[in-house]
Structure formats: structure tokens, C-alpha cells
């Protein structure tokens, strides 16, 4: 027997309609590329989003057409999320940090009809426009006064497009499984792969995010999303926060520690989401100034493992509540958050940090399993580790138009292979040990490069650390620690080795330590280990007796 309830589709347009109706006075602040601070409310954003919808329709954008964005976190980018998806088209967010060749590939693969671009990225598009045969025009996200002289063909001015359009648009109603947005993952090998989200998956993701108990998702929040709108939907914030009426402070193009600190203080930011490197940069700046945060209370850290030292410093020295999160582009993206239970919150701080270095518990609707090399399930005892697979309504069922990428992406039961190696403990907390490709196999046993890196990052002289396996005649592979120091005098190899000796098992200690000026990163700020492995391919480890 079927239930007798209305079958109203879950559509993204409903979020912004709701936010305007219920939280109309809530503010959205952004630092623009032009340099000023823009302020308005959800109600005003709603009107402009509807003007944008009219403008896109006038350009002939139809259901399923792809319209790309190449932009920083700003009010205009936020408007594009809703305007494009609201009319049934697909908002394709492009990560400007991808290699140029990858950007060309994804624009052509997605068959974008228009690209909405911030002034900062116009030169990038000018270089490649000749290789983008399907792009019909470029919408520059600025007003007439700031329009650049450009070689781009068919250029339109965003503010002019919106001007004079009616402020009321009747959103179409369609199947909730219709695609709403598209984001390409930036793997370290091969072409990027497209993840095509639906209205249903995006709405479910934002609603489940709101059930985690994360206090940064509430009506009193002044949220600084440093996590970019150009990658993984800014972790779902643009859809989740408007539902509860939290306020946004978009940082625009200025993501260095000093600019972020100033924005946080000026705008009374209470919560911020971003990757560890961003918070390391911010901390360095705050220490340099010997400053404090007057309003910031909590940070969500994800995208890469949050080093214990970062969690400890933020919580012990700056009074923050740190939440560690894990996810993937393929998961909309949040998979788990380290929200503590009331009993865990009563534990001494040190014990709480033991839990917070883990990546947390699954969001409602995300099923997790870890398996051995034969695909057999492993116990959730916090010790056994194996490949992590996921299943649920906010997880991809296949990459967009890419049969080859889909070949090995799922197991026989249809679970998605994350490519992460993890443990899961009896409370359901997962801990990422490594990427499957990055684990170091020494004498048949696995060494977690993430754990070693985190231990090294605990030394005050270490700005960033990477661990890779290098060939060893006896053990197969042994760890090499590559370190960027805070200054050349900050620490030497012997001191670092000594520091690590009581922090990890003896046989995990790196056989060698190399110091570098800078570590290579992917377009999403993760350590680019393929590059490091290439660089140290013929590395001769010192012959120690291990
Ligand atoms: P992306 O699709 O760019 O978001 O990258 C997803 C990958 O980032 C995951 O599969 C993990 O390998 C890594 N990742 C994300 N969050 C974390 C975290 N908190 N700790 C460790 N690795 C993470």
C-alpha cells in the first residue's frame, strides 16, 4: 500500500524561496573581486536570483544545459548556484586551480554553453577560449564600470544582464532526480571525472548535514566558508545554511591568513569551514600578531587529515571547538563529522582530541564498510583497516559520461570505492589511514603515511610534512619524510627523528628525512604524492640495520 502523502519534488529553488520568506533579513556579506565589501540579505539575493533566472532563459538556456562558473566565493557565485539550477539547468563549478589542460578538458567534456567568470580568471579563459568550440559566450561577473578589455568572444556583463529583469520568476517544477550541478574530481592521474548531483541528492545532503548536531549550522551563525564554491559545493554549505537562516561572510579572492583574520574580526564571524592548510596559515598570522579571536568559536576542518597539533592549538590556546570532517566530491561531499556525544564531551580534553583526530561518524544515510583485499568485510573494532566503501542517496552512482572511470569504481554490491584506507571503531568513528595508493608496505605490514605526517607536524619547526614509501631491498618499502620547515634553523633531521621516536612505533620511524622549500599540492590543496614519488624515485635510503 502506498502512503497518501504529496509527492512534492525536492528542488533547490525551494531552499532559496524558503530562506527569503523565513530568514529574509539575514545578511550575506562578501568581499568582491573588485575589492569592496558587498552586503545584502537573503531577500535581496532571492530577487537577484530570480532576475538571473530570467536572464538565463533569455539567453536560451534550457533544462539540462550546462552553465559553468569560474569564480571565488562571493554573493554572485552564490546567486549562480540557485539561478542556474533553479531553471533546471546544470551549474558546473570549475576549479581554477586545475591544470589548464584539465580545465579545457572538463569544459569540453561538460559541453558548457556559457561560462560565468570572475575578473581574476578572464586571462585564464583568454588563453584557452580558442579550444572551447561549444562555449557560446562568457558572462563576466562584474558591473559595466569594471568590464575588462578582453579578447574573449561574446562577452556579457553580469550586472547588466540582471538589470531590468523582473524580480519574480515562476520556478519550473520537475523530477527531483534532475541534475542540478556538476563538479569534476581532480585525480592525480588521468582526466578529471565528473560527478553529477541531482536536486534530490543535494537537498538530502543539506538536510542530513543539518542533523549532525554541528552547531555551526544554526540561525546565530556568521559563517565564513573558506571551502570554495568552485569545488565540492563548498561542502554543501550554500544549500544547508540558508535553510536554518545562518549568515554568510564570503571571503572573495583573499584567502591568506591576514585577510581572513581581518574578515573574521570585522564581520564578527562565529564559525568557519576549510582545509587544514588554510587554518595553519591563519594560525601563523594570529601568532605573529599575538592576537585573539573575538567572535570565532568553531571550525570545521576537512579535505585532508587535520593534524592533532592543529586541533590542540585551536582548542587549547584559542578556545575553539574543532570538528573534523571527511568526504569526497563523489559524496556531495560530506561523509562523516567528528561530533562528540555528550559522554565524550565530558572526557578530559586530551581524550577528546584522541577522538577528534579521527574523521568522525557517518552522516545519516551514509553507509560505510571496510573490506580486505578479497572484498570481505572487516570488523569495526578500531584496529582492522581496509578499503573504505560507501553507499547512500547522496553518493554518486556513476561518473558523468565516463564508462572507463566507472569500470572499477563500484564493488559487486554497488558500493562506491572511496580509494581511502580506514579503520572504523566500535562507536562508528572512522579513521583514514591513507589513500590506497599511498600506504607504505614495509615487510608486509602497513605504515600510515597520514599518521606519520601528523606526528611530524606536531613539531613546532615543521610547517608541512609528507611521507612516501621508497623502495628498500629488504623491506620492500620504507618511509621517507619530506618536510617544509617554518625556517631553515627550526629543526634538523636528527632532532626531528628524536622528536618522533616516542610518537610512533619504532619500525614506523622514517629511514630518512629530506627538507624542501615547498611541498607540491593538487588543485584542491592535497599533498601531491605522485609528484613526490617521481622526484624521489631513485632515492637511496641510508643503510640502517632495520
Ligand atoms: P575531494 O574529492 O577533492 O574532496 O577529495 C576526497 C579525498 O580527500 C578523500 O577520498 C580523502 O582521501 C581525502 N580527505 C578528505 N577529507 C579528509 C580528512 N578529514 N582526512 C583525511 N583525508 C581526507
Amino acid at each position: 500500500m502506498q502512503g497518501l502523502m504529496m509527492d512534492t519534488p525536492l528542488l533547490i529553488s525551494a531552499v532559496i524561496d524558503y530562506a527569503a520568506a523565513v530568514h529574509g533579513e539575514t545578511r550575506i556579506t562578501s568581499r568582491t573581486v573588485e575589492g569592496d565589501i558587498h552586503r545584502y540579505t537573503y531577500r535581496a539575493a532571492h530577487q537577484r536570483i530570480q532576475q538571473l533566472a530570467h536572464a538565463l532563459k533569455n539567453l536560451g538556456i534550457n533544462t539540462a544545459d550546462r552553465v559553468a562558473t569560474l569564480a571565488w566565493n562571493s554573493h554572485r557565485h552564490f546567486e549562480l548556484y540557485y539561478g542556474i539550477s533553479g531553471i533546471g539547468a546544470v551549474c558546473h563549478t570549475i576549479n581554477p586551480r586545475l591544470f589548464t589542460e584539465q580545465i579545457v578538458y572538463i569544459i569540453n567534456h561538460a559541453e558548457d554553453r556559457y561560462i560565468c567568470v570572475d575578473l581574476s580568471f578572464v586571462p585564464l579563459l583568454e588563453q584557452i577560449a580558442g579550444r572551447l568550440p561549444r562555449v557560446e559566450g562568457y558572462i563576466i561577473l562584474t558591473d559595466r564600470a569594471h568590464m575588462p578589455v578582453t579578447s574573449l568572444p561574446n562577452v556579457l556583463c553580469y550586472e547588466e544582464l540582471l538589470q531590468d529583469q523582473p524580480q519574480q520568476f515562476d520556478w519550473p517544477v520537475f523530477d527531483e532526480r534532475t541534475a542540478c550541478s556538476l563538479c569534476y574530481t581532480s585525480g592525480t592521474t588521468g582526466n578529471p571525472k565528473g560527478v553529477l548531483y541531482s536536486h534530490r541528492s543535494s537537498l538530502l545532503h543539506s538536510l542530513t548535514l543539518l542533523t549532525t548536531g554541528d552547531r555551526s549550522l544554526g540561525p546565530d551563525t556568521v559563517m565564513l566558508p573558506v571551502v570554495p564554491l568552485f569545488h565540492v559545493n563548498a561542502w554543501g554549505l550554500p544549500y544547508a545554511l540558508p535553510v536554518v537562516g545562518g549568515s554568510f561572510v564570503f571571503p572573495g579572492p583573499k584567502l591568506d591568513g591576514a585577510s581572513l583574520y581581518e574578515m573574521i574580526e570585522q564581520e564578527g564571524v562565529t564559525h568557519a569551514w576549510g582545509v587544514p592548510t588554510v587554518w595553519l596559515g591563519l594560525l601563523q598570522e594570529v601568532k605573529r600578531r599575538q592576537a585573539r579571536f573575538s567572535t570565532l568559536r568553531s571550525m570545521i576542518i576537512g579535505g585532508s587529515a587535520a593534524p592533532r597539533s592543529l586541533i590542540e592549538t585551536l582548542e587549547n590556546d584559542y578556545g575553539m571547538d574543532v570538528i573534523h570532517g571527511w568526504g569526497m566530491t563523489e559524496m556531495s561531499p560530506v561523509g562523516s563529522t567528528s561530533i562528540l556525544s555528550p559522554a565524550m564531551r565530558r572526557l578530559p580534553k586530551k581524550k577528546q582530541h584522541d577522538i577528534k583526530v579521527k574523521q568522525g561518524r557517518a552522516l545519516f544515510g551514509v553507509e560505510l564498510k571496510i573490506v580486505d583485499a578479497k572484498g570481505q568485510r572487516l570488523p569495526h573494532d578500531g584496529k582492522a583497516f581496509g578499503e573504505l566503501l560507501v553507499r547512500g542517496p547522496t553518493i554518486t552512482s556513476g561518473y558523468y559520461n565516463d564508462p572507463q572511470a566507472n569500470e572499477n569504481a563500484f564493488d559487486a554490491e554497488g558500493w562506491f570505492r572511496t580509494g581511502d584506507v580506514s579503520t572504523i571503531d566500535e562507536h562508528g568513528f572512522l579513521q583514514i589511514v591513507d589513500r590506497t595508493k599511498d600506504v607504505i608496505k614495509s615487510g608486509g605490514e602497513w605504515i600510515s603515511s597520514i599518521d606519520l605526517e601528523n606526528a611530524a607536524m606536531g613539531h613546532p619547526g615543521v610547517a608541512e610534512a609528507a611521507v612516501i614509501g621508497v623502495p628498500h631491498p629488504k623491506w620492500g618499502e620504507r618511509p621517507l619524510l619530506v618536510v617544509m620547515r617554518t625556517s631553515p634553523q627550526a629543526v634538523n633531521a636528527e632532532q626531528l627523528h628524536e622528536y618522533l621516536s616516542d610518537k610512533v612505533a619504532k619500525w614506523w620511524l622514517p629511514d630518512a628525512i629530506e627538507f624542501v622549500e615547498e611541498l607540491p599540492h593538487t588543485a584542491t590543496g592535497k599533498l601531491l604524492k605522485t609528484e613526490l614519488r617521481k622526484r624521489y624515485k631513485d632515492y637511496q635510503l641510508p643503510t640502517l640495520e632495520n
Side-chain angles (χ1 to χ4, degrees):
M1 187 177 6
Q2 297 246 304
L4 289 173
M5 304 307 281
M6 292 187 192
D7 204 4
T8 313
L10 300 172
L11 300 180
I12 281 176
S13 50
V15 174
I16 199 64
D17 284 351
Y18 178 80
V22 177
H23 311 296
E25 297 309 314
T26 302
R27 288 159 74 103
I28 302 177
T29 305
S30 19
R31 192 198 292 276
T32 66
V33 173
E34 294 92 331
D36 60 334
I37 300 287
H38 178 274
R39 299 174 195 282
Y40 66 172
T41 60
Y42 278 123
R43 184 164 301 129
H46 186 227
Q47 286 171 358
R48 278 171 53 90
I49 287 164
Q50 293 176 88
Q51 291 181 300
L52 171 61
H54 279 289
L56 293 169
K57 287 305 275 182
N58 291 347
L59 286 175
I61 300 297
N62 294 314
T63 309
D65 284 347
R66 269 77 69 201
V67 177
T69 66
L70 191 58
W72 300 107
N73 286 8
S74 73
H75 66 291
R76 293 189 184 113
H77 204 171
F78 177 77
E79 291 164 5
L80 289 163
Y81 261 61
Y82 284 97
I84 298 171
S85 303
I87 63 169
V90 177
C91 178
H92 170 207
T93 52
I94 303 174
N95 182 345
R97 298 195 182 116
L98 292 171
F99 295 121
T100 312
E101 284 312 306
Q102 293 178 317
I103 295 180
V104 172
Y105 170 83
I106 65 173
I107 293 171
N108 288 331
H109 187 265
E111 301 179 278
D112 295 324
R113 286 189 59 191
Y114 281 86
I115 303 182
C116 307
V117 56
D118 261 344
L119 285 168
S120 343
F121 304 120
V122 169
L124 192 161
L125 286 181
E126 284 172 341
Q127 278 176 44
I128 60 173
R131 295 159 66 195
L132 308 175
R134 288 179 185 266
V135 176
E136 292 163 40
Y138 298 86
I139 301 171
I140 308 209
L141 299 170
T142 192
D143 54 15
R144 176 50 53 191
H146 292 88
M147 279 296 278
V149 177
T150 173
S151 62
L152 286 177
N154 303 326
V155 168
L156 298 160
C157 167
Y158 183 78
E159 292 298 331
E160 272 180 6
L161 270 183
L162 265 59
Q163 215 177 11
D164 303 331
Q165 298 291 350
Q167 295 179 346
Q168 153 83 65
F169 185 89
D170 288 330
W171 297 116
V173 176
F174 40 77
D175 188 327
E176 64 187 18
R177 286 162 296 187
T178 303
C180 67
S181 54
L182 175 63
C183 176
Y184 283 74
T185 64
S186 49
T188 46
T189 50
N191 283 324
K193 296 171 277 187
V195 179
L196 189 60
Y197 309 98
S198 67
H199 284 255
R200 172 185 154 83
S201 69
S202 300
L203 266 256
L204 288 178
H205 181 263
S206 61
L207 296 178
T208 49
L209 259 189
L210 296 175
T211 66
T212 58
D214 170 6
R215 291 185 212 149
S216 71
L217 295 168
D220 299 326
T221 293
V222 181
M223 169 67 73
L224 179 81
V226 185
V227 50
L229 289 163
F230 61 66
H231 186 58
V232 291
N233 309 318
W235 296 348
L237 270 179
Y239 306 127
L241 199 61
V243 175
V244 287
S247 188
F248 277 114
V249 174
F250 290 118
K254 295 204 169 173
L255 304 176
D256 59 287
S259 307
L260 289 179
Y261 180 70
E262 279 151 26
M263 197 85 184
I264 289 168
E265 289 299 303
Q266 269 166 32
E267 302 300 331
V269 167
T270 57
H271 298 78
W273 288 24
V275 296
T277 38
V278 164
W279 304 135
L280 289 166
L282 178 64
L283 262 186
Q284 263 178 20
E285 176 65 19
V286 177
K287 280 184 192 157
R288 196 186 60 76
R289 295 186 188 211
Q290 299 189 323
R292 307 292 302 169
F293 294 107
S294 5
T295 51
L296 189 65
R297 298 201 291 272
S298 149
M299 282 167 168
I300 283 225
I301 309 182
S304 295
R308 186 181 184 108
S309 52
L310 178 63
I311 298 175
E312 283 173 349
T313 310
L314 286 171
E315 292 217 340
N316 297 344
D317 302 351
Y318 294 93
M320 295 291 149
D321 181 19
V322 171
I323 296 167
H324 192 182
W326 164 85
M328 305 183 74
T329 310
E330 291 88 336
M331 300 177 71
S332 297
V334 183
S336 67
T337 54
S338 69
I339 309 279
L340 304 191
S341 67
M344 289 168 179
R345 283 204 301 274
R346 287 193 290 273
L347 294 169
K349 271 276 172 205
K350 195 174 162 306
K351 287 241 151 59
Q352 292 189 25
H353 295 157
D354 291 344
I355 304 171
K356 287 192 176 186
V357 291
K358 301 187 177 191
Q359 279 75 3
R361 291 194 261 215
L363 259 62
F364 172 76
V366 175
E367 287 181 84
L368 306 173
K369 69 173 176 181
I370 45 174
V371 300
D372 64 16
K374 292 196 193 101
Q376 300 298 316
R377 281 180 190 247
L378 292 164
H380 294 188
D381 59 6
K383 292 189 192 73
F385 55 85
E387 192 185 355
L388 178 63
L389 285 89
V390 291
R391 188 166 72 172
T394 60
I395 293 157
T396 184
S397 63
Y399 292 106
Y400 174 61
N401 208 359
D402 199 340
Q404 206 185 340
N406 287 329
E407 248 166 43
N408 294 317
F410 301 89
D411 77 356
E413 293 172 354
W415 292 63
F416 175 73
R417 293 181 200 280
T418 65
D420 286 331
V421 176
S422 178
T423 61
I424 302 176
D425 70 18
E426 56 278 24
H427 305 290
F429 277 78
L430 63 95
Q431 182 158 24
I432 305 290
V433 175
D434 246 316
R435 292 289 296 160
T436 37
K437 293 182 205 125
D438 295 337
V439 280
I440 300 163
K441 241 182 172 177
S442 173
E445 301 278 351
W446 282 4
I447 294 175
S448 161
S449 64
I450 293 185
D451 276 3
L452 256 180
E453 283 155 9
N454 282 347
M457 300 255 282
H459 191 288
V462 175
E464 203 178 6
V467 173
I468 53 165
V470 289
H472 187 282
K474 179 168 171 197
W475 300 107
E477 261 187 337
R478 289 293 303 158
L480 165 69
L481 171 62
V482 189
V483 169
M484 181 181 125
R485 287 179 279 208
T486 50
S487 74
Q489 295 76 35
V491 63
N492 62 31
E494 211 175 302
Q495 290 161 338
L496 195 50
H497 200 271
E498 173 63 29
Y499 171 82
L500 288 173
S501 60
D502 61 356
K503 304 208 165 40
V504 296
K506 187 164 176 296
W507 65 276
W508 277 33
L509 284 170
D511 284 28
I513 301 175
E514 286 289 322
F515 294 104
V516 292
E517 293 289 308
E518 220 176 314
L519 285 163
H521 291 97
T522 67
T524 51
K526 301 186 212 305
L527 285 166
L528 187 53
K529 296 211 179 163
T530 43
E531 168 61 24
L532 283 177
R533 277 194 284 270
K534 228 186 281 165
R535 218 180 276 177
Y536 294 103
K537 178 166 64 68
D538 301 319
Y539 192 80
Q540 291 297 316
L541 288 169
T543 27
L544 301 174
E545 70 278 16
N546 59 357

